[in-house]
Amino acid sequence: MTKDKDFKRLVRTRMTETGENFTTARTALLAANQNASQSAEATSESTIDPQIDRFRAKTLRTFMPNGRITAIPTKRRALVLILIEVLASLDPDRVYDEKQLNGILGEFHPDFALLRRELIDYRLLERNAHTGEYWVNPNPPIHTGSQAQEMAGLEVFLR
C-alpha cells in the first residue's frame, strides 16, 4: 500500500465517486497517470523529474560506477533502472540468439542469466522460445501492479 497521503486521498475520492474497491481505483489512477505522462512525452520534449534524475545518478554511482554492474540491487526499483541501462546497449533493430545476448549481458555482470530473465519479466526484451531468439521490445508495455510502481518515472529512460 502506498504511503503517499495525497495519492490515497485521490484513490478514496475515486472510490466514493465510482463505487470501486481500493485496488481497482488505485490501478485506474496509476494507469491514467501513466497514460497522461506518455502523452505529455509524445507532445513535447520530455523533462526528467529532478528526483528521478538524482535516483538514477545515485543508483548508477552505487551499482555501475565503471559501466559494469558491481552488485545486483535488491531493491526492485534500482534493479529496473539498471536493466534499462543494460537495455540501452542492445540494438533495437537486431535479433540476438541466446549466445550473443549472453555475451553482451556477461560484459555487465557474470550472472547474465538473471539479467536476461529480468529483462524478459519486465517485457523489455521479447523472445521466441522455439528458436531461442531475443529482441528489444519495440513497444514498451504499460505495466500494472507492482511493476508499475517499480517503473514509475523511469520510462523516460527507455528509447
Side-chain angles (χ1 to χ4, degrees), residues 1 14 30 42 54 56 61 124 129 145 156:
M1 179 156 314
R14 181 177 172 99
L30 286 173
R54 283 191 301 275
R56 179 177 183 265
R61 205 173 37 251
L124 299 172
V156 71

Side-chain angles (χ1 to χ4, degrees), residues 47-105:
T47 57
I48 299 173
D49 178 5
Q51 186 176 4
I52 297 291
D53 202 31
R54 283 191 301 275
F55 171 73
R56 179 177 183 265
K58 180 182 177 191
T59 301
L60 292 179
R61 205 173 37 251
T62 303
F63 295 104
M64 290 182 78
N66 58 0
R68 288 184 45 88
I69 302 170
T70 56
I72 302 289
T74 55
K75 293 191 177 184
R76 301 299 295 180
R77 188 159 171 78
L79 176 61
V80 168
L81 183 69
I82 296 298
L83 292 174
I84 290 171
E85 292 296 318
V86 169
L87 186 69
S89 69
L90 299 175
D91 181 0
D93 299 324
R94 182 172 171 199
V95 175
Y96 299 90
D97 66 27
E98 190 165 343
K99 188 174 181 177
Q100 292 169 327
L101 182 64
N102 290 346
I104 294 168
L105 297 178

Side-chain angles (χ1 to χ4, degrees), residues 129-150:
H130 300 295
T131 62
E133 294 177 327
Y134 297 82
W135 59 93
V136 175
N137 187 347
N139 304 312
I142 295 176
H143 293 90
T144 58
S146 61
Q147 283 190 352
Q149 290 177 340
E150 294 157 5

